[in-house]
C-alpha cells in the first residue's frame, strides 16, 4: 500500500507548516516527516482496527484536546495557539480536521513535541529521531518500538 511520497510530504506539507508555526528547522522537519511515516506510513487517515487515532500523524482526540488546553491555559503559549488556530477552518470541528487538513495535523503533532523539555535530536541521526519519537510521541504505552523498521522510516525522512 502506497502513501504520500516522502519528499512531497516533507517539502510540501511538513516544512511549510512548521515554518508557519515558527517551529521548523531540519531536525523538526525530519522528525515530523518520520513521525507520519511510522505512525501511518503516510497513508492512513484513521487508525486501522477501529482505534481512535486520526490523520497521518495518528493523534488521538484526547491528546489533541489536552494540547489545546495546555496552549490555552498559559499566556506564554498565546502566540503558538494563534498560529495553530490560523491553520484551521471554521466549518469542521478541530479534532476532525486532523483527518484531512494535513497542515493542521502536522502542526498538532509538532505542538506535542514542543511541550517536551528536551532539545530535538540531531537532524541526521535516524536512531536518535526514532528514540525521541518513541519517548515523546508514541510513549511507553504505544505499540511502536525503536527497531530496524521504525529507524528505517526516519532514515527515509532524512533522505527525502
Amino acid at each position: 500500500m502506497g502513501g504520500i511520497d516522502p519528499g512531497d510530504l516533507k517539502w510540501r506539507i511538513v516544512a511549510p507548516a512548521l515554518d508557519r508555526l515558527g517551529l521548523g528547522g531540519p531536525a523538526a522537519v525530519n522528525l515530523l516527516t518520520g513521525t507520519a511515516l511510522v505512525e501511518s506510513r503516510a497513508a492512513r487517515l484513521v487508525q486501522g482496527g477501529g482505534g481512535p487515532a486520526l490523520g497521518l500523524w495518528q493523534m488521538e482526540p484526547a491528546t489533541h484536546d489536552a494540547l489545546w488546553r495546555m496552549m490555552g491555559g498559559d499566556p506564554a503559549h498565546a502566540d503558538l495557539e494563534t498560529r495553530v488556530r490560523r491553520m484551521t477552518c471554521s466549518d469542521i470541528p478541530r479534532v476532525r480536521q486532523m483527518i484531512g487538513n494535513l497542515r493542521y495535523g502536522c502542526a498538532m503533532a509538532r505542538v506535542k513535541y514542543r511541550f517536551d523539555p528536551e532539545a530535538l535530536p540531531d537532524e541526521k541521526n535516524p536512531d536518535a529521531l526514532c528514540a525521541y519519537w518513541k519517548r515523546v510521541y508514541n510513549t511507553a504505552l504505544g505499540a511502536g518500538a525503536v527497531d530496524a523498521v521504525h529507524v528505517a522510516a526516519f532514515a527515509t525522512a532524512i533522505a527525502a
Side-chain angles (χ1 to χ4, degrees):
M1 177 170 150
I4 296 174
D5 175 79
D8 281 346
L9 177 65
K10 182 175 181 175
W11 298 115
R12 298 181 193 282
I13 297 167
V14 174
L18 298 185
D19 186 50
R20 293 295 299 153
L21 277 183
L23 294 173
V29 169
N30 289 341
L31 178 64
L32 272 292
T33 302
T35 299
L37 293 173
V38 297
E39 289 288 336
S40 71
R41 293 183 308 277
R44 301 251 353 157
L45 295 177
V46 295
Q47 185 175 354
L54 302 172
L56 295 184
W57 289 269
Q58 295 289 285
M59 182 175 285
E60 294 186 6
T63 301
H64 170 273
D65 294 348
L67 291 171
W68 272 103
R69 285 191 299 275
M70 291 167 71
M71 285 189 290
D74 186 342
H77 301 301
D79 183 59
L80 177 61
E81 181 182 7
T82 297
R83 288 174 185 257
V84 174
R85 191 178 306 279
R86 287 181 180 154
M87 292 186 182
T88 66
C89 58
S90 62
D91 63 333
I92 301 170
R94 285 191 304 230
V95 72
R96 302 297 301 165
Q97 289 184 51
M98 290 191 300
I99 296 170
N101 182 342
L102 299 180
R103 281 178 12 129
Y104 179 67
C106 179
M108 290 306 294
R110 182 63 180 99
V111 168
K112 169 77 171 155
Y113 285 119
R114 171 66 182 86
F115 282 108
D116 184 68
E118 290 188 25
L120 297 181
D122 177 68
E123 68 197 65
K124 295 193 182 288
N125 185 333
D127 293 289
L129 289 167
C130 187
Y132 191 79
W133 157 77
K134 176 60 184 167
R135 183 180 63 78
V136 176
Y137 199 88
N138 189 257
T139 76
L141 300 175
V146 180
D147 58 18
V149 171
H150 291 89
V151 170
F154 283 95
T156 296
I158 292 166

